[in-house]
Amino acid sequence: MKPFSPLRESDYDRALELWPSELMRRVKNVMVFPTWVEGEERFWIKVDTNKGHEFLVVDASTGERKPAFDHELVARALDADAAALPILHFDYLWDGSRIRAQVRERESWVEIDLNSGELADVRGPSPTYLMGPDGRELFVKQFNLWIREPDGTEKALTEDGERYFAWGSMPDHNYSGVIRDRESASMVPTGTSWSPDGQLVLTQQTDERHVEGYPYVEWTPADGSPRPKIHHVKMRIAGESEDSVRRWYLLDTKTGARTRVADLEEGIELDITRGQWWWSPDGGTVYTLASNLPSEDGALVEVDTASGDVRTVFREHSATFFGFNTFTDHAPNVRVLHDRGQAIWYSQRTGFGHLYLLDLATGEIVRAITEGEWAVFDLLLVTDSTLFFAGGREDGVSNPYYRHLYRVDLDGETANSNLVRLTTEDADHGFIGAPTHFGATSPKAYLSPMRMQLSPSGEYFVDSISRVDLPTVTTLRRTRDGETIAVLAEADITSLTDIGWSMPEVFRSTAADGVTAVWGVLIRPRHFNDRESWPVLERIYGGAWTIAQPRSFAEGLNGPFMFGLHALADIGFVVAVLDGPGTPYRSKTFHDMTWDKADRWGIADHRAALEGAAAERPWMDLSNVGISGHSYGGYGTVMAMLLEPDFYRVGVSTSGMYDAMRSDGPTEYQLGRPLYEGGRRIKNSPEERPINWLKFSPEEYADRLKGELLLAFGNLDENIQPAALLSFVNALTAEGKDVDLLYMPERSHHYTTDPYLQKRLWDYFVQYVQRRAPVRHKPLGVVPGERLYRFG
């Protein structure tokens, strides 16, 4: 490793030129998404300009663009700058003479007359109610379901709901219960759906009265009280017998009559988080999805709305884990086609994620729609006879994580009937799957159902062509042949290159078996010189449900696991982000390679991949590698420090899952069901630990710690319980191991963008990897900023 000069305050200031919000400010048109005008082959986009941005409406058939409205007129109505209107979303109303808009920093939506400029505050789409087909709104109040009529009058649909026995609500433990309790926030009715005519509502009532509460102590309450507050969140810990019980009902919104939905087959229940409901046109039946806690099974079920009887149409079991999509946070790749009496089903049964045609009457697979040694990512659109989806490639050369658009016939006699890849460029094409019901109801922002790259007719698509090392070009194309109609926007990164920023580098290496291909990216400092030696850091995530590495240019700047990495690298590091075996978007074999192994996150594979990359890049110094990660990435960080202590020598772990026994049920998706002596699923005593989970526990390897480890946590973290961290610290203490703790007061799980945390992370690596003194007590002087998420 080369000797480093002493760190100076100016080094921090220079690195902050690449702070995430500064990166995004310095680029133009890296994310241009269309919102389609309902019933038309037109869409609007927001395009960056030298002065700000403008809204354009585009004719998809010709590519002709024109202003979406008179920007000066709208600016006067909003008392805003015409070159930088604070509009987040808008819809055309009536004949296009008005718009209804969501405006930044305004609680209500507004309607603006595009002829007179008259403005009125109105109620727009909201994450707190569910709009019915007849204009009525369904919402939750005082643990019951209520209906708001178009004239504003309200009536209770249920009256027997109470705390912990609530209608249409998420379980008390929903990863944000404490925050919502502090802020008195509400969400859209969950696990709830209107019938096509608005007569019926399918919903659920969750009984958690017998589930034990988990205490969270708010030491410095938000209301300023000097007395700490305790928030009890009803939560089942792995192995406990008492769990929430969910009962499903069909409610008649006119008469109030209730029909209980029958219990499903043993081992599965209706899936509350997916939010997928397919009603028959006459409302007589509704299809939905079912699964179980460890996700070993997935099923499509049919509910008779008159009797409440249930039929399992199709059920699939996996020896490891089953998913309705390779990425858990995206909507299932399942559709019910009522007019055909068929359904589309997703499965990895052949070794790769593919689509199948099911017969709804018999429950039999008619045929495979797609097949081959490549993976379907997201089902995007189904028309009368054509299916469009995003998928990858596994040809041994192409990056398998790049999203391509495919078209395939539904009526063919064999799989891959008239299969066409419409995006031929060696790049990512940005096709984003719809979020799950839970993701779509996030109160952060309104997500329009018309905001998609494919036109609703399936005739056109907006292609976002980019890589981490290729700035975005946004084009309008035809699905008939992939022909480009018009270039809509090209990214401008001049302001970044002017300050010496360079693009990340994509690399390919191999896992520990020396055969399996592993892909990732490297971020280098601006003053990088390949004749010098650079210390290496890794940002890690892991597990079966998502990937960490960026694919598009926008993700490369500030993707979900990229926050702050360009600034960190600029202090004098090369930072790697990669996805090893055990993660999705590849084959089922790749997905399962680390299943039930002590090295569940494939730490040996990460080490091998970095060593392979360094063999071709002598400037990568692997003598003192640092590693960091949050949540499951925090778990990966500590396991890296314990399983490969001679390689990973410095770690910063934030809110890691250190003890699965102290976590809630969803851990089972990653580790399998807990097993106790005699094959029991339920523990006999509070302290009993599942024997099949011991090998995953960092506590079991506490004696192996050699390097420097910083553990950060928030006391109100509902995703990863703080007690797990303290249990791990106890194990380290018993072994006489030194460890550093960073307590983030009154933080939940989501504090990784906090400048203070980022500064402490930088300093830890400066001190123990570069072995030089950081500048202490220096505030970074920036706002936290936000990470980009995959669904927009």
Side-chain angles (χ1 to χ4, degrees), residues 227-246:
R227 189 180 296 276
K229 293 184 178 181
I230 298 179
H231 301 268
H232 283 277
V233 177
K234 294 281 189 175
M235 182 174 68
R236 172 186 176 268
I237 298 296
E240 292 180 342
S241 59
E242 293 294 345
D243 198 0
S244 57
V245 176
R246 191 170 292 114

Side-chain angles (χ1 to χ4, degrees), residues 212-512:
E212 190 171 350
Y214 190 100
Y216 286 89
V217 181
E218 187 181 0
W219 294 104
T220 56
D223 63 6
S225 170
R227 189 180 296 276
K229 293 184 178 181
I230 298 179
H231 301 268
H232 283 277
V233 177
K234 294 281 189 175
M235 182 174 68
R236 172 186 176 268
I237 298 296
E240 292 180 342
S241 59
E242 293 294 345
D243 198 0
S244 57
V245 176
R246 191 170 292 114
R247 299 180 179 90
W248 294 82
Y249 295 88
L250 289 150
L251 307 180
D252 191 307
T253 63
K254 303 294 177 61
T255 67
R258 299 181 185 178
T259 301
R260 169 76 189 279
V261 176
D263 294 333
L264 274 63
E265 291 181 350
E266 183 178 357
I268 57 173
E269 65 174 350
L270 297 187
D271 197 319
I272 186 174
T273 60
R274 302 295 170 185
Q276 299 289 308
W277 321 99
W278 298 278
W279 292 79
S280 61
D282 63 0
T285 57
V286 58
Y287 295 87
T288 188
L289 300 175
S291 61
N292 53 13
L293 185 60
S295 296
E296 296 168 337
D297 291 77
L300 177 67
V301 299
E302 177 192 75
V303 179
D304 184 293
T305 61
S307 65
D309 291 342
V310 175
R311 177 176 70 96
T312 300
V313 177
F314 188 79
R315 180 171 178 172
E316 183 166 338
H317 176 79
S318 171
T320 54
F321 50 86
F322 175 85
F324 295 106
N325 188 309
T326 188
F327 178 34
T328 307
D329 278 3
H330 276 182
N333 291 325
V334 180
R335 300 289 190 278
V336 171
L337 312 176
H338 289 286
D339 57 338
R340 302 170 62 104
Q342 295 175 324
I344 297 169
W345 183 255
Y346 172 85
S347 171
Q348 292 179 300
R349 59 175 53 208
T350 63
F352 286 86
H354 280 294
L355 303 172
Y356 298 83
L357 200 60
L358 297 180
D359 186 294
L360 290 175
T362 65
E364 299 292 328
I365 292 180
V366 177
R367 64 175 176 85
I369 299 172
T370 62
E371 66 179 12
E373 295 187 352
W374 51 275
V376 170
F377 296 163
D378 289 291
L379 178 54
L380 301 173
L381 181 69
V382 182
T383 63
D384 291 340
S385 59
T386 307
L387 185 154
F388 297 92
F389 63 90
R393 303 178 66 195
E394 285 278 359
D395 57 12
V397 177
S398 303
N399 189 316
Y401 297 98
Y402 290 160
R403 294 163 290 186
H404 290 276
L405 177 64
Y406 290 83
R407 184 190 72 212
V408 67
D409 285 355
L410 272 176
D411 295 320
E413 296 182 358
T414 61
N416 297 343
S417 176
N418 289 323
L419 178 69
V420 177
R421 180 163 62 93
L422 294 165
T423 51
T424 58
E425 297 85 356
D426 180 25
D428 180 71
H429 296 265
F431 287 93
I432 300 171
T436 61
H437 173 76
F438 183 71
T441 56
S442 166
K444 286 185 177 181
Y446 171 67
L447 294 176
S448 170
M450 303 302 287
R451 186 176 185 263
M452 54 188 180
Q453 287 172 259
L454 271 161
S455 68
S457 68
E459 294 292 327
Y460 308 96
F461 67 99
V462 174
D463 193 4
S464 182
I465 307 167
S466 76
R467 298 188 301 264
V468 297
D469 58 356
L470 178 68
T472 313
V473 176
T474 306
T475 64
L476 171 64
R477 306 172 75 169
R478 302 182 197 280
T479 58
R480 182 177 65 245
D481 49 18
E483 178 187 354
T484 298
I485 300 171
V487 175
L488 300 177
E490 296 186 57
D492 181 353
I493 65 169
T494 305
S495 185
L496 271 182
T497 56
D498 283 348
I499 60 172
W501 176 84
S502 61
M503 303 179 197
E505 176 188 353
V506 178
F507 74 90
R508 176 181 173 175
S509 190
T510 57

